[in-house]
Amino acid sequence: MKVAKEFEAGGKFLHAVQIYQSLINEYPEYAESYIGLAELYYYWGKKESAENIFEKIINIQPENLEVKIYFAEFLIKHKKWQKSIDVLSGFSSDDDPFISYLTGYSYYNLKEYELAKVFLLNFVITDEDPELIHNAYFIIAKIDLKLKLYSNALKFAKKAQELYNDSWELMLLFSKVYYYLEMFVHSADSITKALEIKRDEVAITHWAGKIYLKTEDFIKAKHYFAKCIDLKEDITSTDYTNLAHVCFKLGTLDEALNYYITAVRLDPKNKLALEGKEKTSNLLNNMVSDA
């Protein structure tokens, strides 16, 4: 193993592969050789080959929990959520609490929110790494937000905040939860903190616009909706509809109409944009008539 690692460090990957394969042939029960070879294949971008190597050692050592956890993490990196769950099935948090985290995280990504929450709640009562506990609380809070359990989401977001307080994603989560709880001052405070941490994040600018629109700070809302459009690669009809709404509130009707027209062009079935376009156009026509 030492020689193989030295070859890897020196960039002599083919030599390293030969060493690992030789070790596997000579000592088929030695799990570290399989892991080393799988990592090397992964580094090369040969993900299927790496996965096949993991499966070989698991077939040889089906009760080797360390290898299964390693494999599950590998699968999660490649978004193979169900397979990661299957690999860990048969073991429980009594064997290793990390299993609950990995399983819960995988269920979350499968949108099996209730199951994810069960495993993650089981994990947070353990004495594991604080960063992982923080992540688990954060995911639980996101789950409750999706389930519209806003008070619960706030509770778990605060649990996550007790461990780490400098995450823009957590501040954004707080802003969303407070928004749906109709605590708009707190929502604005949270989005301000998120902006201080990462000012050019699309999701933050979108929610900043949404929150300031709700609090009737239309100038700020316009700024952030416009910035969101500047930052996005794939601009949607809804993005222009939001900006049009704010311009309408500010009384800049020509500008609003242009944005509504753009929104309708992107999505001719956008009901809000169609209604806004008609309303704004009628107002402008009436103003011309009155003049």
Side-chain angles (χ1 to χ4, degrees):
M1 284 292 292
K2 183 179 178 182
V3 174
K5 292 296 182 185
E6 288 174 354
F7 278 136
E8 280 189 60
K12 298 179 179 179
F13 301 122
L14 185 58
H15 289 78
V17 167
Q18 292 171 341
I19 295 293
Y20 284 129
Q21 288 178 334
S22 177
L23 287 169
I24 288 169
N25 292 334
E26 192 169 352
Y27 307 102
E29 300 288 331
Y30 188 56
E32 284 77 2
S33 301
Y34 294 86
I35 292 173
L37 183 57
E39 287 181 332
L40 190 53
Y41 278 139
Y42 172 67
Y43 177 81
W44 270 352
K46 297 182 176 181
K47 297 172 185 177
E48 288 186 12
S49 297
E51 193 171 328
N52 290 336
I53 293 297
F54 273 117
E55 288 177 344
K56 281 183 181 179
I57 185 58
I58 283 176
N59 288 333
I60 294 170
Q61 298 181 17
E63 299 304 314
N64 190 326
L65 179 56
E66 184 178 352
V67 173
K68 285 201 168 186
I69 288 176
Y70 214 100
F71 187 27
E73 289 184 274
F74 171 85
L75 292 166
I76 285 171
K77 285 179 184 176
H78 301 294
K79 300 182 179 181
K80 294 190 175 184
W81 316 116
Q82 187 58 57
K83 192 164 184 178
S84 71
I85 293 167
D86 294 341
V87 165
L88 294 173
S89 64
F91 295 97
S92 71
S93 60
D94 292 335
D95 299 302
D96 189 325
F98 193 37
I99 291 171
S100 289
Y101 178 82
L102 294 175
T103 304
Y105 182 74
S106 296
Y107 274 126
Y108 170 73
N109 283 285
L110 287 170
K111 296 181 171 57
E112 296 281 353
Y113 297 129
E114 296 290 357
L115 277 172
K117 192 171 176 181
V118 169
F119 281 96
L120 292 169
L121 285 171
N122 194 36
F123 177 73
V124 295
I125 62 174
T126 64
D127 188 24
E128 287 295 299
D129 179 83
E131 186 172 353
L132 283 177
I133 298 292
H134 161 84
N135 290 343
Y137 276 128
F138 179 62
I139 296 169
I140 295 168
K142 289 199 292 183
I143 288 170
D144 280 336
L145 179 61
K146 289 179 180 295
L147 297 175
K148 299 183 179 181
L149 302 172
Y150 302 126
S151 294
N152 282 350
L154 180 59
K155 178 180 71 175
F156 287 115
K158 287 181 177 179
K159 289 282 188 181
Q161 188 179 30
E162 289 174 8
L163 297 165
Y164 292 99
N165 194 33
D166 59 350
S167 164
W168 68 265
E169 293 159 306
L170 181 58
M171 291 302 106
L172 177 59
L173 178 63
F174 270 117
S175 70
K176 293 178 183 179
V177 173
Y178 282 129
Y179 181 92
Y180 289 117
L181 286 170
E182 299 186 357
M183 300 171 69
F184 300 118
V185 173
H186 288 316
S187 183
D189 287 343
S190 296
I191 206 66
T192 297
K193 291 175 183 175
L195 286 164
E196 288 171 354
I197 298 169
K198 195 166 184 179
R199 185 162 294 275
D200 292 332
E201 174 61 39
V202 170
I204 299 175
T205 56
H206 167 76
W207 271 91
K210 190 169 181 174
I211 291 162
Y212 288 124
L213 175 59
K214 180 63 73 171
T215 59
E216 299 187 352
D217 191 338
F218 301 128
I219 293 175
K220 282 187 178 180
K222 181 182 179 182
H223 170 77
Y224 286 111
F225 279 139
K227 185 171 183 178
C228 181
I229 289 173
D230 289 339
L231 292 172
K232 288 184 74 172
E233 292 184 7
D234 298 317
I235 305 168
T236 67
S237 176
T238 300
D239 293 321
Y240 280 108
T241 303
N242 289 334
L243 189 52
H245 283 342
V246 175
C247 290
F248 186 90
K249 292 288 187 181
L250 286 168
T252 55
L253 299 184
D254 287 326
E255 195 174 13
L257 181 59
N258 286 333
Y259 288 132
Y260 280 129
I261 290 170
T262 303
V264 172
R265 188 182 303 126
L266 288 173
D267 180 8
K269 295 181 180 179
N270 183 332
K271 186 177 179 181
L272 290 176
L274 288 166
E275 291 175 351
K277 177 187 172 185
E278 183 179 3
K279 183 177 180 180
T280 307
S281 182
N282 288 338
L283 282 172
L284 284 169
N285 289 334
N286 289 338
M287 289 170 65
V288 171
S289 299
D290 291 344

